[in-house]
Amino acid sequence: MMDAELISRIFCALAIALAGSLLFVAAGTAWMLLGDKLRRRNPFAEYILHEAGHRVRRNLKDLDRRYFLYLSGLLVYLLLLLVAFLLQREVLPFDYPAWVWLAASVTVGVASLFIPFQIVKLKRSRSKLAYRRTANIAVGHALQRIASRGYNIYHDVQVGNQVIDNVVIGAKGAYAINVFVLGNGHKKSGTARLSDSNLVFGNAKTSAPVGVSVNRTSALSKELSKVIGQIGRAHV
């Protein structure tokens, strides 16, 4: 026989823990958004003096903040669950059979998996983004080697709604260089091929629509034309 009183206590503890942890995560998210809105920005440093991988580093930092927020939310959930179960003394004034409390507890328990799911999801996203950050930094450092040959190197160039990872400008023209990541450190073939308007790298599933690169380059060409006063052309 199931103990209806015990299961009802479990249900209450689960419900309190879930509500408290979700409220904690919501408050933390609102606080981070408010902080981002109030943060002072320097337009010159923000748009001109970008380092290699600046945008990816910033996204990784934001992802870390969300990751640790959900980790803290999980800790809050476990503490509330323990305290609510141990300190609860009064029985709920609802005379339901044990199976009703059990079904309700299972439902709340399944809903409580939201926070662990977000933690795993953010962990995987962080791993991919960290590898992309390393790739962007490596490409940026490689491009800096040609800066002494009369070329100017710019990183994370905002062109309308598009962002170009690297722009190289020299006497012979402007070049848009974007970084594509094949995987988290796995060795891939160093080849690329066109397949249905997509640029496929090696044998990996990773691909990049050619149209995206063309649109970015076209937008850069238009911006360069406005600056130099004549029709300019950027190369991918």
Side-chain angles (χ1 to χ4, degrees):
M1 293 289 293
M2 293 184 294
D3 188 344
E5 179 179 345
L6 175 61
I7 300 178
S8 66
R9 289 180 59 191
I10 294 175
F11 166 76
C12 286
L14 288 170
I16 292 173
L18 178 60
S21 59
L22 291 180
L23 182 61
F24 173 84
V25 171
T29 301
W31 181 258
M32 289 191 299
L33 292 176
L34 179 62
D36 291 338
K37 290 292 184 181
L38 298 179
R39 185 188 307 166
R40 297 182 61 183
R41 298 183 182 275
N42 186 334
F44 182 76
E46 186 72 14
Y47 298 107
I48 303 298
L49 296 180
H50 281 171
E51 297 179 350
H54 171 83
R55 176 171 50 94
V56 179
R57 296 185 201 186
R58 183 185 60 195
N59 293 341
L60 185 59
K61 182 178 179 180
D62 293 339
L63 198 63
D64 281 341
R65 292 166 60 195
R66 293 178 56 201
Y67 175 72
F68 288 113
L69 174 63
Y70 277 97
L71 274 181
S72 301
L74 181 60
L75 178 61
V76 169
Y77 174 86
L78 295 175
L79 290 176
L80 287 177
L81 180 64
L82 181 62
V83 171
F85 181 79
L86 294 178
L87 297 184
Q88 185 179 357
R89 292 291 180 265
E90 296 183 1
V91 180
L92 290 176
F94 302 106
D95 190 17
Y96 294 130
W99 69 267
V100 175
W101 291 117
L102 181 60
S105 299
V106 171
T107 301
V108 177
V110 172
S112 299
L113 296 176
F114 170 76
I115 291 182
F117 172 78
Q118 289 296 319
I119 291 175
V120 173
K121 180 180 177 181
L122 290 171
K123 181 67 174 178
R124 292 180 176 178
S125 298
R126 188 193 182 283
S127 177
K128 295 180 181 179
L129 198 58
Y131 189 72
R132 179 174 175 80
R133 175 198 58 189
T134 302
N136 274 268
I137 294 174
V139 172
H141 287 175
L143 291 175
Q144 288 298 332
R145 298 174 185 172
I146 67 174
S148 60
R149 304 176 188 174
Y151 290 90
N152 294 313
I153 314 296
Y154 302 94
H155 308 289
D156 289 342
V157 178
Q158 184 83 34
V159 183
N161 295 326
Q162 306 288 338
V163 177
I164 301 176
D165 293 330
N166 306 279
V167 173
V168 180
I169 299 179
K172 296 183 178 180
Y175 302 87
I177 301 175
N178 290 294
V179 179
F180 297 97
V181 180
L182 301 186
N184 297 336
H186 301 295
K187 186 176 181 181
K188 304 292 184 182
S189 173
T191 60
R193 56 187 172 85
L194 283 174
S195 176
D196 298 329
S197 298
N198 289 314
L199 189 60
V200 182
F201 300 92
N203 296 322
K205 297 180 180 180
T206 304
S207 62
V210 176
V212 174
S213 297
V214 172
N215 291 338
R216 292 175 181 175
T217 307
S218 299
L220 178 61
S221 298
K222 292 179 181 179
E223 293 298 326
L224 290 175
S225 299
K226 294 178 182 178
V227 174
I228 63 179
Q230 59 183 3
I231 299 177
R233 184 176 181 181
H235 307 277
V236 180

